[in-house]
Amino acid sequence: FRMNQMADPVLQSKRALHVGGLAEEVKERTLRAAMIPFGPLKSIDIPMDYSKGSHKGFAFVEFHDADDAEECRYNMDGAELYGRTLHVNLAQPNQIKLGSNMAVWSTDEWFQKQAAARNGDEGKNGDLITKQTGGEDKDRS
């Protein structure tokens, strides 16, 4: 039993940084050049906005060492890149909230509703009958 095995998940979370405030001109190569002085990088992820054809203005940078990530955060938070102020913080774990861009079937509640509907409310040919609630138009001809 090694002590550092228990610390690995904590270290991993402290190695990833969220870098916000990126100018549209910033590419992965530029961001890598700005971050590499603080230590070896494990990965850089710049999420794209495909409707605009450019990135979303933020990136995730992961270092191999948590101390390098902290040094980068300390030195780069508030720094300027292409005339824009960078906001560098520890990346938070993925937090999905109901009502977000999450698929409806990714919750148990959706499956439970579908199972209940199939068990009692099937029409001819096994088609699922959905019931509308509220907002029905009573003056339909």
Side-chain angles (χ1 to χ4, degrees):
F1 177 65
R2 292 181 6 212
M3 186 65 165
N4 63 354
Q5 282 180 326
M6 290 182 63
D8 281 349
V10 175
L11 285 176
Q12 287 177 359
S13 67
K14 293 188 177 189
R15 294 187 316 203
L17 299 175
H18 175 270
V19 181
L22 296 178
E24 283 190 29
E25 301 85 16
V26 174
K27 304 286 183 235
E28 181 179 338
R29 207 169 143 175
T30 310
L31 191 56
R32 182 176 300 279
M35 302 295 167
I36 198 83
F38 302 103
L41 301 175
K42 185 173 182 181
S43 66
I44 294 179
D45 181 29
I46 305 175
M48 294 295 293
D49 182 345
Y50 293 105
S51 64
K52 288 184 187 176
S54 63
H55 61 74
K56 294 183 177 184
F58 65 91
F60 296 99
V61 178
E62 186 177 6
F63 286 84
H64 283 283
D65 184 47
D67 291 336
D68 294 341
E70 177 57 28
E71 190 68 22
C72 177
R73 188 196 64 76
Y74 179 79
N75 285 285
M76 294 300 287
D77 187 36
E80 282 191 21
L81 187 62
Y82 284 100
R84 302 264 316 258
T85 302
L86 298 179
H87 304 282
V88 182
N89 297 295
L90 282 176
Q92 299 296 314
N94 192 7
Q95 299 172 354
I96 299 174
K97 297 180 178 112
L98 281 178
S100 67
N101 294 333
M102 186 173 67
V104 294
W105 56 85
S106 63
T107 64
D108 287 339
E109 183 181 350
W110 185 84
F111 284 110
Q112 290 167 354
K113 286 181 182 177
Q114 295 303 308
R118 284 199 178 106
N119 288 337
D121 295 331
E122 287 185 358
K124 296 176 191 168
N125 304 329
D127 294 334
L128 183 63
I129 299 172
T130 57
K131 298 177 182 178
Q132 286 186 327
T133 57
E136 294 180 6
D137 190 1
K138 294 180 182 178
D139 297 329
R140 293 190 345 187
S141 305

Short mmCIF file of all heavy atoms in Angstrom, two decimals, residues 8-67:
data_model
loop_
_atom_site.label_atom_id
_atom_site.label_comp_id
_atom_site.label_asym_id
_atom_site.label_seq_id
_atom_site.Cartn_x
_atom_site.Cartn_y
_atom_site.Cartn_z
N ASP A 8 -3.50 10.31 -5.84
CA ASP A 8 -3.57 10.47 -7.29
C ASP A 8 -4.83 11.17 -7.80
O ASP A 8 -4.73 12.10 -8.59
CB ASP A 8 -3.40 9.12 -7.99
CG ASP A 8 -1.94 8.69 -8.05
OD1 ASP A 8 -1.06 9.52 -7.74
OD2 ASP A 8 -1.70 7.53 -8.38
N PRO A 9 -6.07 10.79 -7.37
CA PRO A 9 -7.24 11.50 -7.88
C PRO A 9 -7.23 12.98 -7.54
O PRO A 9 -7.65 13.81 -8.33
CB PRO A 9 -8.42 10.79 -7.20
CG PRO A 9 -7.89 9.44 -6.84
CD PRO A 9 -6.43 9.65 -6.56
N VAL A 10 -6.73 13.31 -6.36
CA VAL A 10 -6.66 14.71 -5.97
C VAL A 10 -5.65 15.45 -6.85
O VAL A 10 -5.92 16.55 -7.33
CB VAL A 10 -6.29 14.84 -4.48
CG1 VAL A 10 -6.08 16.29 -4.09
CG2 VAL A 10 -7.35 14.20 -3.61
N LEU A 11 -4.49 14.82 -7.08
CA LEU A 11 -3.48 15.45 -7.92
C LEU A 11 -3.99 15.65 -9.34
O LEU A 11 -3.75 16.68 -9.94
CB LEU A 11 -2.21 14.60 -7.95
CG LEU A 11 -1.34 14.63 -6.71
CD1 LEU A 11 -0.18 13.67 -6.85
CD2 LEU A 11 -0.83 16.03 -6.44
N GLN A 12 -4.71 14.67 -9.87
CA GLN A 12 -5.21 14.79 -11.22
C GLN A 12 -6.11 16.00 -11.36
O GLN A 12 -6.04 16.73 -12.33
CB GLN A 12 -5.96 13.52 -11.63
CG GLN A 12 -5.03 12.36 -11.89
CD GLN A 12 -5.78 11.09 -12.21
OE1 GLN A 12 -7.00 11.07 -12.23
NE2 GLN A 12 -5.05 10.03 -12.48
N SER A 13 -6.98 16.23 -10.39
CA SER A 13 -7.90 17.36 -10.48
C SER A 13 -7.16 18.69 -10.37
O SER A 13 -7.63 19.69 -10.86
CB SER A 13 -8.98 17.26 -9.41
OG SER A 13 -8.42 17.41 -8.13
N LYS A 14 -6.01 18.69 -9.71
CA LYS A 14 -5.25 19.93 -9.56
C LYS A 14 -4.27 20.16 -10.69
O LYS A 14 -3.57 21.15 -10.70
CB LYS A 14 -4.54 19.93 -8.21
CG LYS A 14 -5.51 19.99 -7.06
CD LYS A 14 -4.82 20.18 -5.75
CE LYS A 14 -5.87 20.30 -4.66
NZ LYS A 14 -5.30 20.69 -3.40
N ARG A 15 -4.25 19.26 -11.66
CA ARG A 15 -3.35 19.43 -12.81
C ARG A 15 -4.04 20.10 -13.98
O ARG A 15 -3.39 20.54 -14.91
CB ARG A 15 -2.82 18.06 -13.26
CG ARG A 15 -1.95 17.40 -12.25
CD ARG A 15 -1.31 16.16 -12.76
NE ARG A 15 -2.22 15.30 -13.50
CZ ARG A 15 -2.05 14.01 -13.68
NH1 ARG A 15 -1.00 13.42 -13.17
NH2 ARG A 15 -2.90 13.30 -14.37
N ALA A 16 -5.36 20.16 -13.96
CA ALA A 16 -6.11 20.72 -15.09
C ALA A 16 -6.57 22.14 -14.78
O ALA A 16 -7.09 22.42 -13.71
CB ALA A 16 -7.32 19.84 -15.40
N LEU A 17 -6.36 23.03 -15.75
CA LEU A 17 -6.74 24.43 -15.60
C LEU A 17 -7.79 24.81 -16.63
O LEU A 17 -7.77 24.33 -17.76
CB LEU A 17 -5.51 25.33 -15.79
CG LEU A 17 -4.36 25.15 -14.81
CD1 LEU A 17 -3.18 26.02 -15.22
CD2 LEU A 17 -4.80 25.47 -13.40
N HIS A 18 -8.69 25.70 -16.23
CA HIS A 18 -9.64 26.32 -17.15
C HIS A 18 -9.06 27.69 -17.49
O HIS A 18 -8.78 28.49 -16.60
CB HIS A 18 -11.00 26.47 -16.47
CG HIS A 18 -12.00 27.19 -17.30
ND1 HIS A 18 -12.15 28.56 -17.26
CD2 HIS A 18 -12.88 26.75 -18.23
CE1 HIS A 18 -13.10 28.92 -18.11
NE2 HIS A 18 -13.55 27.83 -18.71
N VAL A 19 -8.87 27.94 -18.78
CA VAL A 19 -8.32 29.22 -19.23
C VAL A 19 -9.41 29.94 -20.01
O VAL A 19 -9.79 29.52 -21.10
CB VAL A 19 -7.07 29.00 -20.12
CG1 VAL A 19 -6.49 30.34 -20.55
CG2 VAL A 19 -6.02 28.18 -19.38
N GLY A 20 -9.94 31.01 -19.44
CA GLY A 20 -11.01 31.77 -20.07
C GLY A 20 -10.51 33.09 -20.61
O GLY A 20 -9.42 33.55 -20.28
N GLY A 21 -11.33 33.72 -21.45
CA GLY A 21 -10.99 35.02 -22.01
C GLY A 21 -10.09 34.95 -23.24
O GLY A 21 -9.39 35.92 -23.55
N LEU A 22 -10.12 33.83 -23.95
CA LEU A 22 -9.25 33.68 -25.12
C LEU A 22 -9.78 34.49 -26.30
O LEU A 22 -10.98 34.45 -26.60
CB LEU A 22 -9.16 32.21 -25.55
CG LEU A 22 -8.51 31.26 -24.56
CD1 LEU A 22 -8.53 29.84 -25.13
CD2 LEU A 22 -7.09 31.68 -24.25
N ALA A 23 -8.89 35.20 -26.96
CA ALA A 23 -9.25 35.93 -28.18
C ALA A 23 -9.45 34.91 -29.31
O ALA A 23 -8.91 33.81 -29.27
CB ALA A 23 -8.13 36.91 -28.55
N GLU A 24 -10.24 35.28 -30.32
CA GLU A 24 -10.52 34.38 -31.44
C GLU A 24 -9.25 33.96 -32.17
O GLU A 24 -9.18 32.88 -32.75
CB GLU A 24 -11.49 35.01 -32.42
CG GLU A 24 -12.92 34.99 -31.93
CD GLU A 24 -13.91 35.40 -33.00
OE1 GLU A 24 -13.65 35.18 -34.20
OE2 GLU A 24 -14.95 35.95 -32.62
N GLU A 25 -8.22 34.82 -32.14
CA GLU A 25 -6.98 34.53 -32.86
C GLU A 25 -6.15 33.42 -32.21
O GLU A 25 -5.25 32.88 -32.82
CB GLU A 25 -6.10 35.79 -32.96
CG GLU A 25 -6.74 36.96 -33.65
CD GLU A 25 -7.61 37.81 -32.73
OE1 GLU A 25 -7.50 37.69 -31.51
OE2 GLU A 25 -8.42 38.58 -33.27
N VAL A 26 -6.43 33.12 -30.94
CA VAL A 26 -5.63 32.13 -30.20
C VAL A 26 -5.90 30.74 -30.76
O VAL A 26 -7.03 30.30 -30.88
CB VAL A 26 -5.95 32.17 -28.69
CG1 VAL A 26 -5.23 31.06 -27.96
CG2 VAL A 26 -5.55 33.52 -28.11
N LYS A 27 -4.82 30.07 -31.10
CA LYS A 27 -4.87 28.69 -31.58
C LYS A 27 -4.17 27.81 -30.54
O LYS A 27 -3.50 28.31 -29.64
CB LYS A 27 -4.16 28.56 -32.94
CG LYS A 27 -4.69 29.49 -34.01
CD LYS A 27 -6.04 29.03 -34.52
CE LYS A 27 -6.52 29.91 -35.64
NZ LYS A 27 -7.81 30.48 -35.43
N GLU A 28 -4.28 26.50 -30.69
CA GLU A 28 -3.66 25.58 -29.74
C GLU A 28 -2.15 25.82 -29.65
O GLU A 28 -1.57 25.81 -28.57
CB GLU A 28 -3.92 24.13 -30.13
CG GLU A 28 -3.31 23.15 -29.15
CD GLU A 28 -3.58 21.70 -29.49
OE1 GLU A 28 -4.54 21.41 -30.22
OE2 GLU A 28 -2.80 20.85 -29.03
N ARG A 29 -1.54 26.08 -30.78
CA ARG A 29 -0.10 26.32 -30.83
C ARG A 29 0.31 27.53 -29.98
O ARG A 29 1.29 27.49 -29.23
CB ARG A 29 0.24 26.58 -32.30
CG ARG A 29 1.59 26.26 -32.70
CD ARG A 29 1.62 26.33 -34.20
NE ARG A 29 2.89 26.89 -34.56
CZ ARG A 29 3.31 27.02 -35.76
NH1 ARG A 29 2.56 26.67 -36.77
NH2 ARG A 29 4.50 27.51 -36.00
N THR A 30 -0.48 28.59 -30.07
CA THR A 30 -0.20 29.81 -29.31
C THR A 30 -0.38 29.57 -27.82
O THR A 30 0.45 29.99 -27.00
CB THR A 30 -1.16 30.94 -29.75
OG1 THR A 30 -1.15 31.04 -31.16
CG2 THR A 30 -0.77 32.27 -29.14
N LEU A 31 -1.47 28.89 -27.47
CA LEU A 31 -1.74 28.61 -26.07
C LEU A 31 -0.66 27.69 -25.48
O LEU A 31 -0.19 27.90 -24.37
CB LEU A 31 -3.13 27.97 -25.92
CG LEU A 31 -3.67 27.86 -24.50
CD1 LEU A 31 -3.71 29.21 -23.80
CD2 LEU A 31 -5.04 27.23 -24.52
N ARG A 32 -0.24 26.70 -26.25
CA ARG A 32 0.84 25.80 -25.81
C ARG A 32 2.11 26.61 -25.54
O ARG A 32 2.78 26.42 -24.52
CB ARG A 32 1.09 24.73 -26.87
CG ARG A 32 2.17 23.73 -26.48
CD ARG A 32 2.31 22.63 -27.51
NE ARG A 32 1.10 21.85 -27.70
CZ ARG A 32 0.71 20.86 -26.90
NH1 ARG A 32 1.46 20.53 -25.87
NH2 ARG A 32 -0.40 20.21 -27.13
N ALA A 33 2.45 27.53 -26.43
CA ALA A 33 3.65 28.35 -26.26
C ALA A 33 3.57 29.22 -25.01
O ALA A 33 4.58 29.46 -24.35
CB ALA A 33 3.87 29.21 -27.50
N ALA A 34 2.36 29.68 -24.67
CA ALA A 34 2.19 30.52 -23.49
C ALA A 34 2.26 29.71 -22.20
O ALA A 34 2.66 30.23 -21.16
CB ALA A 34 0.87 31.26 -23.57
N MET A 35 1.88 28.44 -22.25
CA MET A 35 1.79 27.62 -21.03
C MET A 35 3.01 26.74 -20.78
O MET A 35 3.30 26.41 -19.64
CB MET A 35 0.54 26.73 -21.09
CG MET A 35 -0.75 27.49 -21.24
SD MET A 35 -1.06 28.50 -19.78
CE MET A 35 -2.38 29.54 -20.35
N ILE A 36 3.72 26.36 -21.80
CA ILE A 36 4.83 25.40 -21.67
C ILE A 36 5.97 25.89 -20.77
O ILE A 36 6.64 25.06 -20.14
CB ILE A 36 5.35 24.97 -23.07
CG1 ILE A 36 6.17 23.69 -22.97
CG2 ILE A 36 6.19 26.06 -23.71
CD1 ILE A 36 5.34 22.46 -22.97
N PRO A 37 6.19 27.20 -20.61
CA PRO A 37 7.27 27.62 -19.71
C PRO A 37 7.07 27.16 -18.26
O PRO A 37 8.02 27.11 -17.48
CB PRO A 37 7.25 29.15 -19.78
CG PRO A 37 6.67 29.46 -21.11
CD PRO A 37 5.66 28.37 -21.35
N PHE A 38 5.84 26.80 -17.89
CA PHE A 38 5.57 26.41 -16.50
C PHE A 38 5.74 24.92 -16.27
O PHE A 38 5.73 24.47 -15.13
CB PHE A 38 4.16 26.87 -16.11
CG PHE A 38 4.00 28.35 -16.27
CD1 PHE A 38 3.32 28.87 -17.35
CD2 PHE A 38 4.59 29.22 -15.37
CE1 PHE A 38 3.20 30.25 -17.52
CE2 PHE A 38 4.47 30.59 -15.51
CZ PHE A 38 3.78 31.10 -16.60
N GLY A 39 5.89 24.13 -17.34
CA GLY A 39 6.11 22.70 -17.19
C GLY A 39 5.52 21.93 -18.35
O GLY A 39 4.78 22.47 -19.16
N PRO A 40 5.85 20.63 -18.43
CA PRO A 40 5.34 19.80 -19.52
C PRO A 40 3.82 19.69 -19.50
O PRO A 40 3.22 19.51 -18.45
CB PRO A 40 5.98 18.43 -19.27
CG PRO A 40 7.02 18.64 -18.24
CD PRO A 40 6.71 19.91 -17.52
N LEU A 41 3.22 19.83 -20.67
CA LEU A 41 1.77 19.76 -20.80
C LEU A 41 1.34 18.34 -21.18
O LEU A 41 1.96 17.69 -22.01
CB LEU A 41 1.28 20.72 -21.88
CG LEU A 41 1.61 22.19 -21.66
CD1 LEU A 41 1.17 23.02 -22.85
CD2 LEU A 41 0.96 22.70 -20.39
N LYS A 42 0.25 17.90 -20.58
CA LYS A 42 -0.32 16.60 -20.91
C LYS A 42 -1.31 16.75 -22.06
O LYS A 42 -1.33 15.95 -22.98
CB LYS A 42 -1.00 16.00 -19.68
CG LYS A 42 -1.51 14.60 -19.92
CD LYS A 42 -2.03 14.00 -18.62
CE LYS A 42 -2.50 12.58 -18.86
NZ LYS A 42 -3.02 11.98 -17.64
N SER A 43 -2.15 17.79 -22.00
CA SER A 43 -3.13 18.00 -23.06
C SER A 43 -3.64 19.44 -23.06
O SER A 43 -3.58 20.14 -22.05
CB SER A 43 -4.31 17.05 -22.90
OG SER A 43 -5.03 17.36 -21.73
N ILE A 44 -4.16 19.84 -24.23
CA ILE A 44 -4.85 21.11 -24.38
C ILE A 44 -6.13 20.82 -25.14
O ILE A 44 -6.11 20.15 -26.18
CB ILE A 44 -4.01 22.14 -25.16
CG1 ILE A 44 -2.77 22.53 -24.37
CG2 ILE A 44 -4.84 23.38 -25.49
CD1 ILE A 44 -1.87 23.53 -25.07
N ASP A 45 -7.25 21.30 -24.62
CA ASP A 45 -8.54 21.11 -25.28
C ASP A 45 -9.20 22.48 -25.41
O ASP A 45 -9.44 23.16 -24.42
CB ASP A 45 -9.43 20.17 -24.45
CG ASP A 45 -10.77 19.93 -25.11
OD1 ASP A 45 -10.86 19.99 -26.35
OD2 ASP A 45 -11.74 19.66 -24.37
N ILE A 46 -9.45 22.87 -26.66
CA ILE A 46 -10.11 24.15 -26.93
C ILE A 46 -11.46 23.83 -27.58
O ILE A 46 -11.52 23.53 -28.77
CB ILE A 46 -9.27 25.05 -27.85
CG1 ILE A 46 -7.87 25.25 -27.27
CG2 ILE A 46 -9.95 26.39 -28.06
CD1 ILE A 46 -6.92 26.04 -28.16
N PRO A 47 -12.57 23.85 -26.80
CA PRO A 47 -13.88 23.51 -27.36
C PRO A 47 -14.28 24.46 -28.49
O PRO A 47 -14.08 25.67 -28.40
CB PRO A 47 -14.82 23.65 -26.17
CG PRO A 47 -13.95 23.48 -24.97
CD PRO A 47 -12.63 24.08 -25.37
N MET A 48 -14.84 23.87 -29.54
CA MET A 48 -15.22 24.64 -30.72
C MET A 48 -16.71 24.98 -30.71
O MET A 48 -17.53 24.20 -30.25
CB MET A 48 -14.91 23.83 -31.99
CG MET A 48 -13.44 23.58 -32.22
SD MET A 48 -12.50 25.09 -32.53
CE MET A 48 -13.18 25.60 -34.08
N ASP A 49 -17.03 26.14 -31.25
CA ASP A 49 -18.41 26.54 -31.53
C ASP A 49 -18.57 26.39 -33.03
O ASP A 49 -18.17 27.27 -33.80
CB ASP A 49 -18.65 27.97 -31.09
CG ASP A 49 -20.09 28.42 -31.30
OD1 ASP A 49 -20.83 27.74 -32.04
OD2 ASP A 49 -20.46 29.46 -30.74
N TYR A 50 -19.11 25.26 -33.45
CA TYR A 50 -19.15 24.95 -34.88
C TYR A 50 -20.10 25.86 -35.64
O TYR A 50 -19.93 26.06 -36.84
CB TYR A 50 -19.52 23.48 -35.08
CG TYR A 50 -18.42 22.58 -34.56
CD1 TYR A 50 -18.56 21.89 -33.38
CD2 TYR A 50 -17.23 22.46 -35.26
CE1 TYR A 50 -17.54 21.08 -32.90
CE2 TYR A 50 -16.19 21.66 -34.80
CZ TYR A 50 -16.37 20.96 -33.62
OH TYR A 50 -15.35 20.18 -33.15
N SER A 51 -21.08 26.46 -34.97
CA SER A 51 -21.98 27.39 -35.68
C SER A 51 -21.24 28.67 -36.07
O SER A 51 -21.54 29.27 -37.09
CB SER A 51 -23.20 27.72 -34.83
OG SER A 51 -22.83 28.40 -33.65
N LYS A 52 -20.27 29.07 -35.27
CA LYS A 52 -19.47 30.26 -35.57
C LYS A 52 -18.22 29.93 -36.38
O LYS A 52 -17.65 30.80 -37.02
CB LYS A 52 -19.02 30.95 -34.28
CG LYS A 52 -20.08 31.65 -33.51
CD LYS A 52 -19.41 32.35 -32.33
CE LYS A 52 -20.39 32.96 -31.38
NZ LYS A 52 -19.70 33.53 -30.22
N GLY A 53 -17.76 28.69 -36.27
CA GLY A 53 -16.53 28.30 -36.95
C GLY A 53 -15.27 28.70 -36.20
O GLY A 53 -14.19 28.75 -36.77
N SER A 54 -15.42 28.97 -34.90
CA SER A 54 -14.26 29.33 -34.08
C SER A 54 -14.42 28.68 -32.72
O SER A 54 -15.43 28.04 -32.44
CB SER A 54 -14.14 30.85 -33.94
OG SER A 54 -15.28 31.35 -33.26
N HIS A 55 -13.42 28.86 -31.85
CA HIS A 55 -13.53 28.28 -30.52
C HIS A 55 -14.46 29.12 -29.64
O HIS A 55 -14.84 30.22 -30.00
CB HIS A 55 -12.15 28.08 -29.89
CG HIS A 55 -11.37 29.34 -29.69
ND1 HIS A 55 -11.67 30.25 -28.72
CD2 HIS A 55 -10.29 29.83 -30.35
CE1 HIS A 55 -10.82 31.25 -28.78
NE2 HIS A 55 -9.97 31.02 -29.76
N LYS A 56 -14.81 28.56 -28.48
CA LYS A 56 -15.79 29.19 -27.59
C LYS A 56 -15.18 30.24 -26.66
O LYS A 56 -15.89 30.82 -25.84
CB LYS A 56 -16.49 28.13 -26.74
CG LYS A 56 -17.35 27.19 -27.57
CD LYS A 56 -18.07 26.20 -26.67
CE LYS A 56 -18.98 25.31 -27.47
NZ LYS A 56 -19.74 24.39 -26.61
N GLY A 57 -13.88 30.48 -26.75
CA GLY A 57 -13.26 31.51 -25.92
C GLY A 57 -12.65 31.01 -24.63
O GLY A 57 -12.27 31.80 -23.78
N PHE A 58 -12.58 29.69 -24.48
CA PHE A 58 -11.92 29.13 -23.30
C PHE A 58 -11.25 27.82 -23.69
O PHE A 58 -11.49 27.27 -24.77
CB PHE A 58 -12.91 28.91 -22.14
CG PHE A 58 -13.98 27.90 -22.40
CD1 PHE A 58 -13.79 26.57 -22.06
CD2 PHE A 58 -15.18 28.27 -22.98
CE1 PHE A 58 -14.78 25.63 -22.30
CE2 PHE A 58 -16.18 27.34 -23.21
CZ PHE A 58 -15.98 26.02 -22.88
N ALA A 59 -10.40 27.34 -22.79
CA ALA A 59 -9.67 26.10 -23.05
C ALA A 59 -9.40 25.39 -21.73
O ALA A 59 -9.50 26.00 -20.65
CB ALA A 59 -8.35 26.39 -23.75
N PHE A 60 -9.06 24.11 -21.84
CA PHE A 60 -8.61 23.34 -20.70
C PHE A 60 -7.18 22.92 -20.97
O PHE A 60 -6.89 22.37 -22.03
CB PHE A 60 -9.50 22.11 -20.49
CG PHE A 60 -10.92 22.46 -20.14
CD1 PHE A 60 -11.90 22.45 -21.12
CD2 PHE A 60 -11.25 22.83 -18.85
CE1 PHE A 60 -13.20 22.79 -20.81
CE2 PHE A 60 -12.55 23.18 -18.54
CZ PHE A 60 -13.54 23.16 -19.52
N VAL A 61 -6.32 23.21 -20.02
CA VAL A 61 -4.90 22.87 -20.15
C VAL A 61 -4.55 21.96 -19.00
O VAL A 61 -4.78 22.30 -17.84
CB VAL A 61 -4.02 24.15 -20.11
CG1 VAL A 61 -2.56 23.79 -20.19
CG2 VAL A 61 -4.42 25.11 -21.21
N GLU A 62 -4.00 20.79 -19.32
CA GLU A 62 -3.63 19.84 -18.27
C GLU A 62 -2.12 19.66 -18.26
O GLU A 62 -1.51 19.39 -19.30
CB GLU A 62 -4.31 18.49 -18.48
CG GLU A 62 -4.06 17.53 -17.34
CD GLU A 62 -4.79 16.22 -17.49
OE1 GLU A 62 -5.43 16.00 -18.53
OE2 GLU A 62 -4.71 15.42 -16.55
N PHE A 63 -1.54 19.82 -17.09
CA PHE A 63 -0.11 19.64 -16.89
C PHE A 63 0.14 18.23 -16.36
O PHE A 63 -0.75 17.59 -15.80
CB PHE A 63 0.43 20.66 -15.88
CG PHE A 63 0.53 22.06 -16.43
CD1 PHE A 63 -0.57 22.90 -16.44
CD2 PHE A 63 1.73 22.52 -16.95
CE1 PHE A 63 -0.47 24.19 -16.96
CE2 PHE A 63 1.84 23.80 -17.46
CZ PHE A 63 0.73 24.64 -17.47
N HIS A 64 1.37 17.76 -16.49
CA HIS A 64 1.73 16.47 -15.91
C HIS A 64 1.86 16.58 -14.41
O HIS A 64 1.64 15.60 -13.69
CB HIS A 64 3.05 15.96 -16.51
CG HIS A 64 2.88 15.40 -17.89
ND1 HIS A 64 2.35 14.16 -18.12
CD2 HIS A 64 3.15 15.93 -19.11
CE1 HIS A 64 2.31 13.93 -19.42
NE2 HIS A 64 2.79 14.99 -20.04
N ASP A 65 2.22 17.76 -13.89
CA ASP A 65 2.48 17.94 -12.47
C ASP A 65 1.57 19.04 -11.90
O ASP A 65 1.42 20.11 -12.50
CB ASP A 65 3.95 18.31 -12.28
CG ASP A 65 4.34 18.42 -10.83
OD1 ASP A 65 3.98 17.52 -10.05
OD2 ASP A 65 4.99 19.42 -10.46
N ALA A 66 0.98 18.78 -10.75
CA ALA A 66 0.09 19.74 -10.10
C ALA A 66 0.80 21.04 -9.73
O ALA A 66 0.22 22.12 -9.81
CB ALA A 66 -0.54 19.12 -8.86
N ASP A 67 2.07 20.96 -9.34
CA ASP A 67 2.83 22.16 -8.98
C ASP A 67 3.02 23.07 -10.20
O ASP A 67 2.96 24.30 -10.08
CB ASP A 67 4.18 21.80 -8.38
CG ASP A 67 4.06 21.16 -7.00
OD1 ASP A 67 3.03 21.40 -6.32
OD2 ASP A 67 4.98 20.42 -6.61
#
